[in-house]
Amino acid sequence: MLNQPLNRSLFDQVMVPNYAPTRIIPVRGRGSQVWDQDGREYLDFAGGIAVTGVGHCHPKLVSTLKRQGDSIWHLSNFMTNEPALRLARKLTAATFAERVFFANSGSEANEAAFKLARLYNHERYSDTKHEIIAFDQSFHGRTLFTVSVGGQPKYRQGFGPTPTGITHLPYNDITALETAVSERTCAIVMEPLQGEGGVISADPAFVVRARELCNQYHALLVMDEVQTGMGRLGSLYGYQQLGVTPDILTTAKALGNGFPIAAMLTTAEIASAMAVGTHGSTFGGNPLACSIAETVFDIINDAQVLAGVRYKHQLIREKLAAINAKYNFCSEIRGDGLLIGCALNLPYQGFAHHFMHAAQDQQLLVLIAGPDVVRMTPSLLITESEINIGLERFEAAVAQVIQS
Ligand SMILES: *Cc1c(COP(=O)(O)O)cnc(C)c1O
C-alpha cells in the first residue's frame, strides 16, 4: 500500500468511510482557482464550504503564516498571547460583544455557546430554566450536543442517548415560536440564514420576534454565524443586517480562511458565568491561528470588500436567472451575499449532486445544500471575470445534466 499512487481509490483503503469525496485531488490554489494533480484548472465556487473567504493562498495570509510560524505557534491557555489579544480586541470593537472565547471549529464554538447558555441560566435563575429552542433543518455541528440542537435528525441517529431539553420548531414560524417559549426556555438558537439546511434566509420579522420573546422570558438569543459570518452576507456578521442583537454569537469557517479557528462572542455579563475552570480548550486561541484570523479580519472588515459582496450577489443572481430562463432547472434562486442556492425543480430534486459532479467535469467547483439545492459560496474577492467564466461553466454543467 505504501507504493500505491495517491488517488481517490487509496482513500477507500485508508480513510474512515464517512465522506464520499469526488474524484479529483487539488494540489494548488491561488485566489479563486485551484489545480488538480494533472494540472487541470478549476474555478472555485465552493470555497472549501464557505471557508476560504479571501481565496487560496492570499499573499497577506501567506506572509502572516510565515512570520508567525517563525515566532511562536502555541502556548496553551496557561498563558495568553499577543495575537489572541489583538484579535479579541478587533472582534469586540466590530460587534455587540465584549468578551471572546476561542475554539478550533464551528462545533466547538457552538458547544461552548450552548454550555454557556445553560450555565448562565443555571447560575442566574434555576436548573429548570434549561430548555433550548432550535429549528428544523438547522445545522450546528457534529459533536453530540451540537447534533442534538441541530434540526437534522439523521445526524444524531444511532448516537443516543443524546442530550435532552431541546425543542425543534419550524424555521420562520412566529406562531410556533410564541407557543413554545416559556419561563423554562434558556436559549433560542438560530442561523441568520440556514446554510446546510438548504440556503434559507430568516424572515426579519421572525428574528425580531425571537429577540422580543428572549427579552420577555429572560432567554438568550444565540446566533450561529459559523457560515454566515466574516462578510459572507455582505456585512461582517449577518445579524447586523437584521436589526437585532444576539446575546451569544459563534463564528468559525471563514475566520481562519482554512486555518482552524473559531470564536464565541458574548457580553461581559453573560461571560461572567464562565468562571475559571468551567470550560476550556488546549489549542483554542493559539498565536498561530489568531495571527492568521487577525489578517483575515483586516482584509474582510472593509467597506469596499463588503459592498463588493452585495454587488457580486446581484451579478450571480442575474446570471443564474438567465441560465434558468433557458433550462428551467430550478424553482428559486435564493440566499444572500455570496451564499447562494438554486432550489431544484421537481424532476431534479434529489439530484443536486449530479449538478455538482457535472460542474466539476466543466472545471467548476460548487456545493450542494441537501439533495435538492445547489449551493455556491465563492471567495468574497472573486473577480467579475471569474464570475462570468464560472457561470458559463455552470451553464454547460446544467445543459449536461438536463441532456443526460
Ligand atoms: C459548518 C457549520 C458548523 C460546524 O462547523 P465545524 O467547523 O464543521 O465544526 C456549525 N454551524 C454552522 C451554521 C455551520 O455552517
Side-chain angles (χ1 to χ4, degrees):
M1 208 148 68
L2 286 173
N3 302 322
Q4 238 168 279
L6 301 175
N7 58 23
R8 177 61 181 82
S9 61
L10 182 59
F11 179 94
D12 295 328
Q13 296 169 51
V14 294
M15 301 287 192
V16 169
N18 62 316
Y19 301 118
T22 61
R23 188 184 40 79
I24 64 157
I25 300 180
V27 292
R28 199 165 78 84
R30 281 291 178 281
S32 289
Q33 290 175 292
V34 302
W35 290 266
D36 71 10
Q37 289 166 312
D38 302 325
R40 196 163 189 253
E41 178 262 356
Y42 299 81
L43 274 170
D44 189 359
F45 279 36
I49 316 188
V51 166
T52 49
V54 301
H56 298 278
C57 295
H58 190 290
K60 285 186 182 163
L61 288 183
V62 173
S63 125
T64 297
L65 178 71
K66 288 180 175 165
R67 182 176 35 79
Q68 191 62 41
D70 222 13
S71 305
I72 195 157
W73 296 13
H74 176 82
L75 289 161
S76 88
N77 289 297
F78 163 64
M79 282 167 280
T80 189
N81 66 79
E82 291 184 356
L85 291 168
R86 281 201 304 266
L87 178 60
R89 189 162 64 185
K90 287 182 178 179
L91 287 168
T92 52
T95 65
F96 75 96
E98 298 157 328
R99 297 290 185 271
V100 180
F101 170 81
F102 288 119
N104 313 290
S105 68
S107 301
E108 278 181 55
N110 283 332
E111 186 81 19
F114 305 158
K115 283 179 74 178
L116 175 58
R118 285 256 173 101
L119 189 63
Y120 176 75
N121 278 281
H122 174 82
E123 302 207 328
R124 174 99 196 246
Y125 302 103
S126 82
D127 218 7
T128 57
K129 193 169 170 58
H130 67 252
E131 284 181 4
I132 293 174
I133 291 179
F135 300 99
D136 296 340
Q137 314 96 230
S138 64
F139 184 77
H140 299 299
R142 296 291 204 151
T143 64
L144 201 54
F145 200 174
T146 56
V147 291
S148 304
V149 175
Q152 303 192 41
K154 64 176 191 275
Y155 292 144
R156 45 179 185 273
Q157 232 124 63
F159 295 115
T162 51
T164 54
I166 301 160
T167 304
H168 295 98
L169 302 175
Y171 192 56
N172 283 330
D173 186 334
I174 291 179
T175 312
L177 188 57
E178 286 170 339
T179 311
V181 179
S182 76
E183 292 296 344
R184 298 165 58 89
T185 305
C186 129
I188 298 177
V189 178
M190 64 165 69
E191 297 158 86
L193 183 159
Q194 290 186 333
E196 302 300 312
V199 190
I200 302 165
S201 294
D203 179 351
F206 173 73
V207 184
V208 168
R209 191 70 187 119
R211 177 71 271 176
E212 287 169 359
L213 290 166
C214 282
N215 294 350
Q216 189 179 335
Y217 289 94
H218 305 288
L220 302 180
L221 183 61
V222 180
M223 286 269 190
D224 177 349
E225 296 235 29
V226 168
Q227 186 152 167
T228 54
M230 297 309 288
R232 181 59 51 192
L233 304 187
S235 52
L236 185 62
Y237 287 103
Y239 84 87
Q240 293 163 328
Q241 297 180 56
L242 284 165
V244 292
T245 303
D247 299 296
I248 301 177
L249 179 151
T250 54
T251 177
K253 288 196 164 84
L255 181 59
N257 206 66
F259 199 95
I261 180 169
M264 176 190 74
L265 312 181
T266 188
T267 64
E269 150 74 11
I270 296 163
S272 69
M274 221 168 226
V276 173
T278 50
H279 192 58
S281 164
T282 297
F283 298 140
N286 79 54
L288 190 53
C290 290
S291 66
I292 292 166
E294 186 194 3
T295 303
V296 172
F297 179 96
D298 290 342
I299 299 168
I300 290 177
N301 192 35
D302 173 283
Q304 234 176 325
V305 168
L306 296 173
V309 172
R310 299 191 292 271
Y311 172 73
K312 290 166 200 173
H313 171 87
Q314 279 313 325
L315 204 64
I316 294 176
R317 190 181 267 274
E318 281 161 23
K319 290 189 177 293
L320 285 173
I323 296 170
N324 197 39
K326 222 155 136 186
Y327 296 96
N328 192 30
F329 72 103
C330 67
S331 58
E332 192 186 10
I333 297 158
R334 63 196 187 204
D336 197 4
L338 288 173
L339 176 41
I340 296 174
C342 302
L344 297 172
N345 265 332
L346 202 57
Y348 309 109
Q349 279 176 18
F351 298 105
H353 59 288
H354 287 195
F355 289 82
M356 181 179 80
H357 289 288
Q360 198 164 292
D361 291 345
Q362 302 295 336
Q363 298 176 267
L364 176 72
L365 308 181
V366 299
L367 298 168
I368 61 176
D372 307 330
V373 178
V374 179
R375 175 173 41 155
M376 296 180 177
T377 56
S379 161
L380 313 185
L381 306 183
I382 192 168
T383 65
E384 271 195 63
S385 87
E386 286 166 337
I387 289 175
N388 291 336
I389 298 167
L391 288 171
E392 278 167 22
R393 293 179 186 180
F394 188 64
E395 177 167 351
V398 171
Q400 185 183 320
V401 173
I402 283 174
Q403 279 149 24
S404 66

